[in-house]
Amino acid sequence: MKNHDSLISIIIPVYNRANIIHETLDSIKKQTYSYWECIIVDDGSTDNLNEIIDNYIKSDFRFKFDKRPKERLKGGNASRNYGFEISKGEFINWFDSDDIMLPDFLENKISVLNNNKELDFCACYSKLFSGSVDNIKKTEKPFVLNSNNYLEDYLLNGLYFDTASPLWRRSFLNENNLLFDESLLRSQERDFHLRVLSKKPKYNYLDEALFLSREGVGNSITKNFTKNFKLQLSNFKFYDKAFSVVKKRGINTKKILSYIFYRQSVNYYSLFQVNKENTLKKVVFAIKYFKYLIKYCFYSNLNIMYFFKLFLGFFSLLFFKRGYKYFYFPEFNFRSYDEQ
């Protein structure tokens, strides 16, 4: 360890991963950059995770184990934020408990940041694998950027970041008050990175895959999304927050605002269909969130036809529980890539 090395805090939220987390932790021990601390935050596991982690702590002081405070909301967001709060590193790398670092995962990124003090973070690609690390499916890369607008690139053109990908300067996160929204059950990573990009950061996206992302573990949220009201509501809240961020920027945003209007109109219809509340509460919900669509329509400067169509859809939903055609506006689907 060199005197001028900077401490990297690796923060891993974990829930019931006793059967596979050793693969993740072993990959951290094999890092060519050795000045790190690994903070593992348990989100309420019921398996023998404690026993597994204790063995790592006894053999390597750089591993640390804590539990999400009971007063914090359950979920990876609160665990990530809590891990950040108790960490000491000048650099931060959130990581997932089922992914695997390649040996130069840390060293290649911190070398870039140390040699380019103006950069706020450095990101990298991943390789998707299934089951065994020998079963590599593909390299996950963002699409080539098509504009000079970070928010447009992120929402429309295929720019994305896996949560494990960026190595952050702690100072950048602190100065901009950037942590995960603990109230979101879905789209929390997208929300976090959108808020990051709204700050116009300087970053480097390395043209190399430095970690392996596991496919098919803990994917129940994605599988149950279309049937789960709370998950869909989180997605709706993400796009509403995105709308506010884009509107605040106020530069060449009409295209993005109308795209969000398109997404939220369909989201609104889907939310109504999966809402299992009684009739009165369902009507109250329909009115409350319909106002969001009117807001999007107004600030997107759309003509009166769209307002009229929305109102037809609103009454069709209330009285007939149908009317998808009134909430579908594909002319505003400006996405330049196929979203997975």
Side-chain angles (χ1 to χ4, degrees):
M1 187 185 304
K2 301 176 183 177
N3 291 331
H4 62 268
D5 282 349
S6 301
L7 179 64
I8 297 177
S9 293
I10 304 163
I11 301 168
I12 303 178
V14 60
Y15 177 74
N16 285 352
R17 289 285 169 83
N19 61 324
I20 60 173
I21 196 172
H22 65 279
E23 297 179 49
T24 301
L25 301 186
D26 286 345
S27 74
I28 295 174
K29 291 185 69 172
K30 294 176 183 177
Q31 289 302 293
T32 56
Y33 187 87
S34 61
Y35 193 28
W36 49 262
E37 63 171 359
C38 178
I39 300 173
I40 304 153
V41 181
D42 182 20
D43 190 36
S45 298
T46 57
D47 59 7
N48 65 326
L49 179 72
N50 287 23
E51 179 184 337
I52 303 297
I53 304 302
D54 281 345
N55 291 331
Y56 281 88
I57 293 174
K58 290 176 182 177
S59 65
D60 194 326
F61 72 94
R62 294 173 297 179
F63 288 106
K64 299 174 174 60
F65 186 54
D66 210 327
K67 294 182 182 294
R68 170 186 49 77
K70 292 182 179 179
E71 66 271 14
R72 304 285 282 265
L73 290 173
K74 179 176 175 56
N77 298 334
S79 298
R80 290 188 186 101
N81 290 350
Y82 178 67
F84 175 81
E85 292 162 11
I86 64 176
S87 68
K88 299 177 180 177
E90 180 184 347
F91 295 91
I92 303 293
N93 208 126
W94 282 288
F95 205 70
D96 289 336
S97 59
D98 58 340
D99 292 342
I100 296 173
M101 297 182 183
L102 296 180
D104 50 3
F105 175 78
L106 296 178
E107 184 168 15
N108 286 14
K109 292 189 293 184
I110 199 168
S111 294
V112 171
L113 293 177
N114 281 334
N115 292 325
N116 299 272
K117 302 296 185 182
E118 76 283 0
L119 295 181
D120 298 305
F121 67 94
C122 180
C124 64
Y125 302 147
S126 68
K127 290 184 178 180
L128 186 68
F129 77 99
S130 178
S132 167
V133 295
D134 296 323
N135 186 20
I136 301 295
K137 294 293 191 71
K138 61 179 178 178
T139 298
E140 300 276 20
K141 293 186 177 183
F143 283 65
V144 176
L145 306 188
N146 296 318
S147 80
N148 295 318
N149 184 326
Y150 279 176
L151 299 183
E152 182 175 327
D153 287 331
Y154 192 67
L155 289 170
L156 302 182
N157 298 334
L159 172 63
Y160 68 88
F161 305 92
D162 284 316
T163 305
S165 170
L167 177 64
W168 305 92
R169 288 192 194 277
R170 185 188 202 94
S171 57
F172 171 74
L173 298 173
N174 282 336
E175 289 166 7
N176 293 285
N177 194 28
L178 289 167
L179 285 176
F180 292 87
D181 184 338
E182 298 181 15
S183 70
L184 295 180
L185 300 177
R186 182 180 167 88
S187 299
Q188 59 269 36
E189 293 92 351
R190 297 177 70 193
D191 167 69
F192 172 72
H193 290 125
L194 182 77
R195 287 183 284 114
V196 164
L197 292 175
S198 74
K199 304 299 181 181
K200 299 182 180 179
K202 294 181 179 179
Y203 68 92
N204 189 322
Y205 216 131
L206 297 178
D207 189 18
E208 55 183 322
L210 295 177
F211 71 103
L212 307 180
S213 179
R214 192 186 302 265
E215 179 184 57
V217 175
N219 221 8
S220 59
I221 285 181
T222 299
K223 291 178 181 177
N224 295 327
F225 167 60
T226 57
K227 300 178 182 179
N228 189 304
F229 176 78
K230 289 183 177 179
L231 295 181
Q232 287 213 19
L233 186 58
S234 281
N235 196 50
F236 191 95
K237 289 180 177 178
F238 159 69
Y239 276 106
D240 186 61
K241 291 179 69 177
F243 188 90
S244 297
V245 169
V246 172
K247 180 174 171 290
K248 187 176 181 180
R249 284 287 299 274
I251 303 174
N252 299 323
T253 56
K254 178 177 172 55
K255 181 178 180 181
I256 312 177
L257 294 180
S258 54
Y259 167 74
I260 294 175
F261 165 70
Y262 151 73
R263 291 299 298 262
Q264 289 291 71
S265 296
V266 174
N267 287 340
Y268 174 81
Y269 178 85
S270 299
L271 275 169
F272 187 90
Q273 297 298 342
V274 298
N275 191 340
K276 303 301 182 182
E277 296 283 4
N278 61 48
T279 302
L280 179 59
K281 288 185 177 180
K282 209 168 184 179
V283 170
V284 171
F285 168 84
I287 295 172
K288 176 182 177 180
Y289 284 92
F290 184 71
K291 291 185 290 186
Y292 286 74
L293 301 190
I294 298 302
K295 176 182 71 173
Y296 306 142
C297 198
F298 175 79
Y299 283 107
S300 300
N301 293 317
L302 302 183
N303 65 47
I304 194 66
M305 177 191 73
Y306 291 98
F307 290 91
F308 180 69
K309 192 174 179 181
L310 285 177
F311 277 101
L312 284 178
F314 175 75
F315 289 110
S316 180
L317 268 182
L318 285 184
F319 294 107
F320 305 108
K321 298 181 181 180
R322 61 179 64 182
Y324 179 78
K325 63 181 180 180
Y326 298 116
F327 297 97
Y328 182 52
F329 304 100
E331 63 268 34
F332 298 127
N333 183 9
F334 300 119
R335 197 170 59 217
S336 63
Y337 69 104
D338 293 324
E339 190 173 56
Q340 300 299 314

